[in-house]
Amino acid sequence: MKGIFRSAKKMMVFLAVFLSSAFLFAEEMTVYNQDYRMRIQYNNIAYSGDAVFVRLEISPVSVALEKGLTPRAKLNLFVNGKSSRKSDFYIIPTTNRNLPASSITMLTGIPLSTWWTADSSYYLELSFSIDGKNTEVQKLPFAIINKTFVSETIELDDRNTSIKTDNSKQRMDQIQNLNEILATVNTDAVYQTKSFVKPIDSDYRTSFFGDRRVYAYSSGGSSTSLHNGIDFRAPEGKDVFACAKGRVALAGWRNSTGWSIVIEHLPGLYSLYYHLSQMLVEPGDVVEEGTLIAKSGSTGLATGPHLHWEIRLNSEAVSPDFFTVDFAFEQ
């Protein structure tokens, strides 16, 4: 195994959170079969709120793959002996020049809850079949490392209280529309598998992924939630860039997040950009990593100008820092 290593009051927490997500622990193994050789790469250790990604490089050693059969594979995560989450593999471009031309490379990922801890037991089960009939199962060791998350109380003024407590049909429709987009898994949507980049020229984080939040209403009362992304301090109108190549799946107004953009990067994998003052792309646009897509702002529920950057995998929020390392094992 090899490791690729996340204010005043928050600074120590910030350093711990930041450094804990900047490492990726990689495991590699090879499975031999009479028809194929399969190289498996995956992160066998992850922090709460990160993800586990598995890459398969399948090389034929017989005519089985030469006949045009498409391999099928599924990843299953078990927690305390029970199946918890599953994800189908999809085909990605083969970048390993040492593989035969007929080789196939596949990838998939599963999000890990911020509530899961090292106290539970975990393992992965990889199911693989060439012909759709004979399935082989490989058990993969896996573990989670605990992460400390920030707890904070946010005092809302009348305007933000009104936004946070808005139960109008318009807002409910906006939530449903976003959820439908994030639940879409298009196996042809393979845009970028290399590490993502930070979407803004700012290193100052005002809020972190997984923050345990209490919203205190100006009218009295409160509610609790998790912060699903990273907030970067940014003045009004600062450039916002695409963190990776992808297709713009949403660019429009949402009551709670203001002017908002969602970009699809891989099947079931999306980046989100909230509270913008200006949008420079439209739905359907295909953008490259680093493309200028928007300007930062404070629209929607915001206590000041900033950029909220979020990553969703199979609908669930995952630490954006996880994707700034070699999560798909391209190196």
Side-chain angles (χ1 to χ4, degrees), residues 19-47:
L19 291 175
S20 70
S21 291
F23 293 87
L24 184 65
F25 298 88
E27 182 69 31
E28 181 179 322
M29 65 181 67
T30 303
V31 176
Y32 294 90
N33 180 282
Q34 63 179 0
D35 294 322
Y36 61 85
R37 180 179 68 252
M38 180 165 61
R39 181 188 183 203
I40 303 171
Q41 295 171 282
Y42 75 107
N43 55 301
N44 62 341
I45 299 175
Y47 290 92

Side-chain angles (χ1 to χ4, degrees), residues 115-169:
W115 300 107
W116 289 348
T117 69
D119 296 332
S120 297
S121 63
Y122 307 87
Y123 69 88
L124 300 166
E125 196 173 80
L126 168 62
S127 302
F128 179 80
S129 172
I130 288 183
D131 56 11
K133 298 178 181 178
N134 300 314
T135 301
E136 296 191 23
V137 177
Q138 185 76 32
K139 186 176 179 179
L140 306 176
F142 181 71
I144 282 183
I145 301 175
N146 293 334
K147 183 194 293 186
T148 300
F149 295 96
V150 174
S151 295
E152 62 178 349
T153 298
I154 299 178
E155 304 283 344
L156 300 183
D157 58 17
D158 291 345
R159 184 186 75 86
N160 282 322
T161 294
S162 176
I163 294 173
K164 183 64 177 173
T165 57
D166 177 13
N167 292 317
S168 67
K169 182 179 184 303

Side-chain angles (χ1 to χ4, degrees), residues 29 39 95 110 145 160 186 204 216 276 278 291 324 328:
M29 65 181 67
R39 181 188 183 203
T95 56
I110 288 179
I145 301 175
N160 282 322
N186 177 9
Y204 193 105
L276 307 169
Q278 183 181 2
T291 297
T324 62

Side-chain angles (χ1 to χ4, degrees), residues 35-326:
D35 294 322
Y36 61 85
R37 180 179 68 252
M38 180 165 61
R39 181 188 183 203
I40 303 171
Q41 295 171 282
Y42 75 107
N43 55 301
N44 62 341
I45 299 175
Y47 290 92
S48 306
D50 282 358
V52 55
F53 266 75
V54 180
R55 180 189 183 102
L56 307 179
E57 293 178 345
I58 305 130
S59 302
V61 295
S62 75
V63 297
L65 290 182
E66 305 289 353
K67 294 179 179 179
L69 296 176
T70 301
R72 296 181 181 179
K74 181 183 290 290
L75 186 65
N76 195 347
L77 172 64
F78 286 79
V79 181
N80 293 328
K82 295 182 179 179
S83 174
S84 176
R85 297 177 183 180
K86 298 179 181 179
S87 184
D88 291 326
F89 282 80
Y90 46 87
I91 295 175
I92 63 174
T94 298
T95 56
N96 187 342
R97 297 181 179 179
N98 297 320
L99 294 176
S102 56
S103 298
I104 294 175
T105 302
M106 307 181 79
L107 184 73
T108 199
I110 288 179
L112 307 173
S113 172
T114 60
W115 300 107
W116 289 348
T117 69
D119 296 332
S120 297
S121 63
Y122 307 87
Y123 69 88
L124 300 166
E125 196 173 80
L126 168 62
S127 302
F128 179 80
S129 172
I130 288 183
D131 56 11
K133 298 178 181 178
N134 300 314
T135 301
E136 296 191 23
V137 177
Q138 185 76 32
K139 186 176 179 179
L140 306 176
F142 181 71
I144 282 183
I145 301 175
N146 293 334
K147 183 194 293 186
T148 300
F149 295 96
V150 174
S151 295
E152 62 178 349
T153 298
I154 299 178
E155 304 283 344
L156 300 183
D157 58 17
D158 291 345
R159 184 186 75 86
N160 282 322
T161 294
S162 176
I163 294 173
K164 183 64 177 173
T165 57
D166 177 13
N167 292 317
S168 67
K169 182 179 184 303
Q170 182 186 50
R171 181 167 179 252
M172 295 303 105
D173 288 344
Q174 292 169 354
I175 292 173
Q176 181 178 348
N177 178 56
L178 177 62
N179 288 341
E180 290 175 353
I181 290 173
L182 299 177
T184 301
V185 180
N186 177 9
T187 57
D188 294 326
V190 178
Y191 294 101
Q192 181 165 320
T193 53
K194 70 175 184 176
S195 305
F196 291 5
V197 298
K198 191 174 56 175
I200 194 167
D201 183 18
S202 173
D203 291 320
Y204 193 105
R205 304 182 183 200
T206 57
S207 294
F208 312 109
F209 170 77
D211 285 0
R212 275 58 170 156
R213 285 184 166 181
V214 175
Y215 288 98
Y217 302 147
S218 62
S219 56
S222 64
S223 63
T224 61
S225 69
L226 291 179
H227 188 236
N228 287 328
I230 297 171
D231 286 348
F232 291 97
R233 184 172 68 178
E236 189 91 8
K238 191 174 180 66
D239 290 346
V240 177
F241 307 96
C243 66
K245 182 178 180 179
R247 180 189 64 86
V248 177
L250 182 150
W253 175 265
R254 303 183 70 248
N255 292 5
S256 56
T257 59
W259 293 113
S260 306
I261 293 174
V262 177
I263 301 177
E264 177 185 39
H265 302 290
L266 286 170
L269 182 63
Y270 298 83
S271 63
L272 300 81
Y273 313 77
Y274 287 165
H275 310 298
L276 307 169
S277 62
Q278 183 181 2
M279 300 186 303
L280 304 176
V281 293
E282 298 180 353
D285 288 350
V286 174
V287 297
E288 299 293 329
E289 174 190 303
T291 297
L292 178 63
I293 60 172
K295 301 285 186 175
S296 62
S298 56
T299 56
L301 199 166
T303 57
H306 71 286
L307 172 68
H308 173 97
W309 179 41
E310 187 173 322
I311 300 287
R312 294 288 188 105
L313 173 61
N314 298 343
S315 295
E316 185 164 345
V318 177
S319 172
D321 288 318
F322 177 83
F323 295 92
T324 62
V325 298
D326 187 22

